[in-house]
Amino acid sequence: MIKVGIIGSTGYAGVELVRLIQQHKEAEVVWFGSRSYVEKKYSDVFGNMFQIIDAKCLDDNMEQLAEAVDVIFTATPQGLCSSLVTEDILNKVKIIDLSADFRIKDVATYEKWYGITHKSPQFIDEAVYGLCEINRNQVRDARIVANPGCYTTCSILSIYPMVKEGLIDLKSIIVDAKSGTSGAGRGAKVSNLFCEVNENIKAYGVTTHRHTPEIEEQLGYAAGEKVLINFTPHLVPMQRGILVTAYANLKKQVTYDEVKDVYDKYYGDEYFIRVLNQDETPQTRWVEGSNFVDINFKIDERTGRIIMMGALDNLLKGAAGQAVQNFNIMFGLPENEGISQIPMFP
C-alpha cells in the first residue's frame, strides 16, 4: 500500500481526500494532519468516519511526515506548503499541494494577487500544474504537483479547446462563474453564515479574484501568447458545485459540428470529461459527488460569439478528486482508481 499523509485533513478538501483514499485500493492514510485538532480523534471531528477511522489528528511537521509516507497532500491555506517544503523533503516524498503556492510561475504575480511573500520560489519552476487532462505527461515524473483551483479547472477545461485551436479572439474572453459555499473553506466567516448566504446570490472579487492570473497563465500556454480575461465569480446558496459560463468572439464562422469535433479531439478519450449532447447545458446537480466535468457550448450566430459552459464539484474535480487523479498518475495507477464514483442525485 502507498502510504499517504495529509496536512490539513480537517478542512473541506482535506476530509474529501480522506474519504476518497479510504476507498482507494492502493493507498492508505497514515497521517491525519490538523493544526486545529491535534490529538483529537478524527472520527470525533467528522462523525461520518465513526468506526471507520480510529486514528488521532497529528500536527503539520512535514519533516517528520516525510519519513513516514510516500506522498504528502497539503490541503492548506496559501503560504503554508511553501513555508514547509525543502529539498530534503522532496528527495524523500512526492507532494501534491492543493493551495496556490506553486500554480503560478511568476513569483511577482503570485505575491501581488495573494498578498504574501513566497517562501520557496526555488521550487516553482519544477512544480507541475496538475490539470490532469492537459499536463498528464509532466505529472507522471513530478516531485511536486500544484493542484489547480476549482474555478480555474472548470474555466480552463471549458475554454481550452477553442483557445488551443485558435478559434476565438483572446482579448474577448469573459468568464462568469458561480460556486457553492464550501469553496470558501471551513473557517468561520460571517459572510458564509446561513442567514448571510441563504436566499441570496452575489458577485465578489470583481476584477480582483485570485484565480484570474491562474486562468490567464494556463490559457496563455495553450494560445502561445498572453491572455487577459474578465473573470467574475458569484456565491450561490448551495453547498458544492461550480458552474462556468464563458463568452468569446469567434474569429470565423463555424458550425456546431466543427466545434464539436474540436472538443472531441481533446476530450473524446477522457474518462472524466463529458461533452454533452447538442443544446444540453451543464448542471451542477449532475456532477455532484463525482470527479466528472460536464462541458458544452452554444454558437450565437447573431453576435458572432460562442458560449462555453462547464460544471463540476468544487471539492472533487475542483480539489480532492483531481488531487487523487494526480496521485494515480504519479504512481502509475489507473487514473480513475478511487475516484470513479457516479454523481449522486438528489
Side-chain angles (χ1 to χ4, degrees), residues 185-346:
R186 196 164 179 247
K189 302 171 187 174
V190 171
S191 60
N192 291 341
L193 294 174
F194 178 82
C195 289
E196 306 290 330
V197 174
N198 189 45
E199 297 294 333
N200 186 47
I201 181 171
K202 68 176 181 179
Y204 68 100
V206 181
T207 77
T208 62
H209 194 278
R210 298 181 296 185
H211 283 179
T212 304
E214 190 179 332
I215 299 169
E216 290 177 340
E217 183 174 289
Q218 295 303 317
L219 290 180
Y221 294 146
E225 59 182 281
K226 186 175 182 179
V227 173
L228 289 176
I229 68 169
N230 283 119
F231 173 67
T232 305
H234 300 75
L235 184 67
V236 296
M238 60 184 187
Q239 292 182 3
R240 55 170 83 201
I242 295 282
L243 180 71
V244 160
T245 309
Y247 309 83
N249 294 336
L250 288 161
K251 286 186 175 181
K252 64 177 183 179
Q253 190 172 6
V254 291
T255 67
Y256 167 83
D257 288 335
E258 288 172 333
V259 177
K260 180 64 162 58
D261 286 345
V262 167
Y263 276 87
D264 287 344
K265 173 183 175 180
Y266 290 95
Y267 300 147
D269 295 326
E270 292 295 343
Y271 181 87
F272 288 117
I273 300 183
R274 308 189 298 192
V275 180
L276 303 180
N277 295 326
Q278 188 171 5
D279 294 328
E280 292 184 359
T281 57
Q283 300 182 48
T284 58
R285 64 175 175 165
W286 299 134
V287 293
E288 186 173 353
S290 81
N291 202 54
F292 289 101
V293 185
D294 284 356
I295 290 174
N296 215 345
F297 62 90
K298 184 79 173 182
I299 299 167
D300 188 345
E301 295 179 357
R302 185 180 65 87
T303 62
R305 296 190 183 104
I306 186 167
I307 297 92
M308 300 153 285
M309 300 161 283
L312 56 74
D313 186 317
N314 59 293
L315 293 179
L316 282 137
K317 184 59 173 173
Q322 183 149 249
V324 174
Q325 190 178 352
N326 276 309
F327 164 81
N328 288 337
I329 294 169
M330 295 169 83
F331 284 88
L333 303 172
E335 203 160 312
N336 62 350
E337 172 57 45
I339 49 173
S340 59
Q341 295 88 345
I342 296 169
M344 58 188 185
F345 179 81

Side-chain angles (χ1 to χ4, degrees), residues 5-8 31-35 38 58-69 72 80 84-85 89:
I6 302 173
I7 296 177
W31 185 293
F32 299 85
S34 175
R35 185 173 288 180
V38 175
L58 303 173
D59 60 20
D60 57 9
N61 187 329
M62 190 179 280
E63 290 186 359
Q64 183 180 349
L65 176 54
E67 300 290 343
V69 301
I72 298 172
L80 183 63
L84 298 176
V85 66
I89 288 171

Side-chain angles (χ1 to χ4, degrees), residues 95-113:
I95 291 178
I96 301 172
D97 179 30
L98 278 70
S99 81
D101 285 2
F102 298 98
R103 294 176 189 162
I104 298 171
K105 293 301 182 184
D106 183 72
V107 177
T109 299
Y110 169 87
E111 293 181 344
K112 174 184 176 182
W113 284 82

Side-chain angles (χ1 to χ4, degrees), residues 9 14-23 32 41-55:
S9 68
V15 70
E16 279 289 60
L17 276 170
V18 171
R19 184 177 70 88
L20 294 174
I21 294 171
Q22 284 295 120
Q23 302 169 86
F32 299 85
K41 286 188 66 175
Y42 195 79
S43 60
D44 288 342
V45 182
F46 295 107
N48 59 325
M49 297 300 177
F50 179 64
Q51 293 188 349
I52 297 173
I53 296 174
D54 291 328

